[in-house]
Amino acid sequence: VDLSALQQTVAPLAGRYFAPYSFCLHRVPSAVRMDQSAQGTDPQVAADVVRAFADEWERQGLPREVYVYGYDEPKPEHYAFLRAAYARIHEAAPGYPIMQTIGDQRPEELAS
């Protein structure tokens, strides 16, 4: 993970011009089907990639107020997978919130 360009552009501006959580640390891949057999949706791979980005982000000394962009627009039948995947991501990169987009009318089922 090479975030050196961000050090020159984001670091000097972040504290003065951007609200907390304006930056996306990483966007996990999305797939048509969200289960462990779908390409790009292995929860451990996602957690490892987020950890790599978080390590470099911290090494660069960039503002900690960033988020991970979660799997895009899941359906309720994907929530069990998401809870398992997000538990791994939280374990790999504690303290980085996950931003979740949803199109479901019952988002409380995915809360926390």
Side-chain angles (χ1 to χ4, degrees), residues 62-87:
L62 295 166
R64 191 59 199 259
E65 293 82 11
V66 295
Y67 62 89
V68 175
Y69 192 118
Y71 294 93
D72 200 36
E73 303 273 340
K75 294 183 168 100
E77 59 265 26
H78 301 136
Y79 289 0
F81 169 79
L82 291 177
R83 281 191 286 277
Y86 291 162

Side-chain angles (χ1 to χ4, degrees), residues 35-107:
D35 60 33
Q36 293 190 21
S37 65
Q39 183 179 8
T41 59
D42 180 339
Q44 191 57 55
V45 170
D48 292 345
V49 170
V50 170
R51 177 73 260 161
F53 273 89
D55 286 347
E56 181 60 15
W57 190 268
E58 291 170 17
R59 190 186 76 71
Q60 292 282 337
L62 295 166
R64 191 59 199 259
E65 293 82 11
V66 295
Y67 62 89
V68 175
Y69 192 118
Y71 294 93
D72 200 36
E73 303 273 340
K75 294 183 168 100
E77 59 265 26
H78 301 136
Y79 289 0
F81 169 79
L82 291 177
R83 281 191 286 277
Y86 291 162
R88 288 190 184 189
I89 289 171
H90 281 301
E91 185 178 304
Y96 289 91
I98 297 172
M99 188 276 296
Q100 181 65 65
T101 60
I102 61 171
D104 180 31
Q105 297 301 314
R106 298 177 316 275

